[in-house]
Amino acid sequence: MKTLDVSEYLDLESRSLDALAPRQRILKTASELFYRNSIHTVGIDRIIAESGVAKMTFYKHFPSKANLAATYLRHKSALWFDMLATATEQAGPAPLDRVLAIFDALNASFQAPTFRGCPFVRGLAEFGPDAETPEVQATLAAYFHDLRKFVASLVQPLKLKNQESVVVQILALIQGSLVNAQAMRGGVEPLATRDAAKVLLEAAVQRG
Amino acid sequence: MKTLDVSEYLDLESRSLDALAPRQRILKTASELFYRNSIHTVGIDRIIAESGVAKMTFYKHFPSKANLAATYLRHKSALWFDMLATATEQAGPAPLDRVLAIFDALNASFQAPTFRGCPFVRGLAEFGPDAETPEVQATLAAYFHDLRKFVASLVQPLKLKNQESVVVQILALIQGSLVNAQAMRGGVEPLATRDAAKVLLEAAVQRG
DNA sequence: CGAGATATATACAGACCTGTATGTATCTTG
DNA sequence: CAAGATACATACAGGTCTGTATATATCTCG
């Protein structure tokens, strides 16, 4: 997992727009618009208008829209991994609890009225393999790589024989619960995927 | 599950382009372009050019691009449910086998070099709640509703106490394995989610 | 054959897109 | 205070987008 400078991203959420420097104001506005709608349906002009910034200022800070999109994704990734680290650490030392804390964190984020699914799955949908935006695609690939590494680091202490399979199962439950929450807002048993992860982990532990 | 006329969609895949009537030719071309890339990044002009059809002919058959997008999604839905029905029926009468057949079908489709993830998850990513395309959004909602009903109909014979939770778990594994396959092409244990479904179903049966 | 439907070719309107050019104001800092 | 960096406002170039208009050709079928 590459280290990432989160200083740029962390307090973007709490501060109000006009208390931020132009670059942060652009990033905050773009982040909300990109996530609420989609990247392709939000134009530079709208981001500039809503962030109250001049066009030249925008292009001084972000050389292209693709670079802004990649920065937005890195921003979301930093926030998400920060939340994951906090949640798993607070869950105590037991590996099982730490993995299950992921699903508690997910369920909490589903409650937000602004929840719109996983930014990275949605990014994959918009920027497929044929898209000519290498920075965006590299950012997406890095996220999925890092998430897998993170889950593996939580599962690793269990010393399971088939660790790779269990990691893939947990990842599937994570992504699947995100899709479920996005596709059927509320009409879904919130604890179901958490319970599933518990059953799978306990079964894997028993098998050794 | 609403009945759907699949006659328009079924043999679209096998026949060559110039053996099809204009409407089918447009739909086949659009389907491939939309799925390989995305809906927003493929323009009407490109679909017209590659399907070898005049612009007026296109707008005679499809009143708008949104209508074509919805038709594309219905096309994908019909193919997918048709494949699911075949796979589950061929799996025999045992409910467990029938559910697991879903994952065998999924793993088979992951092998195709044209695989690009779930068209409906990707559709959600492009057409969020704020998009002004009611036909597309209704088609997406119908798909997720139908998939849930389908899984429920497979689980129902098991007469489980917590059937709703098990259905949600299976759905999460389905969507999660689709995301995994799209995000980490090949670098994933193919049988992991199938095994997970088996463990979860057996545990649920034991609990009654 | 002949008429109506269907498909074709091409041009165009109007809106939106990303990115640049030009010039002015404000803010920081030595 | 003065100078350089930073941000502002506005206009514009060149491209793409969806959808329409106009006129011609081909195909079906009574």
Side-chain angles (χ1 to χ4, degrees):
Chain A
M1 198 171 337
K2 217 193 313 185
T3 52
L4 181 61
D5 179 21
V6 293
S7 59
E8 178 178 15
Y9 306 120
L10 280 188
D11 40 27
L12 223 67
E13 311 297 300
S14 45
R15 296 198 193 165
S16 79
L17 251 197
D18 49 346
L20 292 169
R23 184 175 214 275
Q24 315 283 1
R25 237 177 341 170
I26 295 166
L27 183 52
K28 180 179 167 77
T29 305
S31 186
E32 288 169 359
L33 287 174
F34 283 164
Y35 184 61
R36 192 187 314 265
N37 303 275
S38 80
I39 296 176
H40 285 319
T41 55
V42 175
I44 293 290
D45 286 347
R46 185 171 173 198
I47 294 168
I48 286 164
E50 296 199 15
S51 60
V53 141
K55 201 160 195 174
M56 282 310 291
T57 306
F58 172 85
Y59 278 102
K60 175 159 284 181
H61 288 290
F62 299 95
S64 67
K65 182 185 178 180
N67 177 265
L68 175 65
T71 307
Y72 149 70
L73 290 169
R74 285 191 289 266
H75 166 60
K76 282 289 185 186
S77 179
L79 287 177
W80 170 232
F81 277 115
D82 191 63
M83 176 169 144
L84 277 187
T86 303
T88 52
E89 280 165 20
Q90 286 182 345
L96 180 64
D97 291 337
R98 291 165 75 86
V99 174
L100 296 185
I102 297 177
F103 294 90
D104 293 326
L106 282 171
N107 283 323
S109 71
F110 297 163
Q111 304 306 314
T114 54
F115 175 76
R116 291 286 190 288
C118 172
F120 312 98
V121 169
R122 293 178 48 192
L124 277 185
E126 289 198 78
F127 297 86
D130 292 11
E132 287 159 6
T133 49
E135 190 183 0
V136 171
Q137 281 144 318
T139 304
L140 291 170
Y143 167 78
F144 289 103
H145 176 80
D146 291 352
L147 183 65
R148 183 174 189 158
K149 286 284 180 199
F150 177 78
V151 172
S153 76
L154 296 184
V155 172
Q156 203 267 333
L158 292 172
K159 305 289 183 194
L160 300 174
K161 214 162 39 188
N162 53 348
Q163 171 180 318
E164 288 300 304
S165 286
V166 174
V167 169
V168 168
Q169 292 173 348
I170 300 296
L171 285 172
L173 287 175
I174 292 171
Q175 320 277 22
S177 67
L178 280 159
V179 170
N180 277 348
Q182 182 187 7
M184 349 191 229
R185 297 245 47 170
V188 95
E189 308 279 331
L191 293 176
T193 49
R194 196 197 121 108
D195 291 345
K198 194 177 176 197
V199 170
L200 289 175
L201 283 169
E202 285 170 348
V205 167
Q206 256 187 346
R207 296 180 192 184
Chain B
M1 198 168 343
K2 216 189 323 181
T3 53
L4 181 62
D5 180 20
V6 294
S7 60
E8 177 180 12
Y9 307 119
L10 280 186
D11 41 27
L12 223 66
E13 310 298 297
S14 45
R15 298 199 193 167
S16 79
L17 252 196
D18 48 346
L20 292 169
R23 183 175 214 278
Q24 317 281 359
R25 238 179 340 173
I26 296 166
L27 183 53
K28 180 180 169 76
T29 305
S31 186
E32 288 168 0
L33 287 174
F34 283 163
Y35 185 60
R36 191 186 317 264
N37 303 276
S38 79
I39 295 176
H40 285 319
T41 55
V42 175
I44 293 290
D45 285 349
R46 185 169 173 202
I47 294 168
I48 286 166
E50 296 199 16
S51 61
V53 141
K55 202 161 197 175
M56 283 309 291
T57 306
F58 171 86
Y59 278 102
K60 173 159 285 179
H61 288 292
F62 299 95
S64 68
K65 183 185 178 180
N67 177 264
L68 175 66
T71 307
Y72 149 71
L73 289 169
R74 285 191 288 266
H75 166 61
K76 282 289 187 186
S77 178
L79 288 176
W80 171 232
F81 277 115
D82 192 65
M83 179 170 141
L84 277 187
T86 304
T88 52
E89 279 165 20
Q90 286 181 345
L96 180 65
D97 291 338
R98 291 165 75 87
V99 174
L100 295 185
I102 296 176
F103 295 89
D104 293 326
L106 281 171
N107 282 325
S109 71
F110 297 163
Q111 304 306 313
T114 55
F115 175 76
R116 290 286 190 290
C118 171
F120 312 99
V121 170
R122 294 177 50 191
L124 277 185
E126 290 200 78
F127 298 87
D130 293 11
E132 287 159 5
T133 49
E135 189 183 0
V136 172
Q137 281 144 318
T139 305
L140 292 169
Y143 167 79
F144 288 103
H145 176 80
D146 291 352
L147 184 65
R148 183 173 189 158
K149 286 284 180 199
F150 177 78
V151 172
S153 76
L154 295 184
V155 171
Q156 203 269 333
L158 292 172
K159 305 287 181 194
L160 300 175
K161 213 163 39 186
N162 53 347
Q163 171 180 315
E164 288 299 304
S165 286
V166 173
V167 169
V168 168
Q169 292 173 348
I170 300 297
L171 285 173
L173 286 174
I174 292 172
Q175 318 276 22
S177 68
L178 279 158
V179 170
N180 276 348
Q182 182 188 5
M184 348 192 232
R185 297 247 44 169
V188 95
E189 308 280 330
L191 293 177
T193 49
R194 194 196 121 108
D195 292 345
K198 192 177 176 198
V199 169
L200 289 175
L201 283 168
E202 286 170 347
V205 166
Q206 255 186 344
R207 295 180 191 182

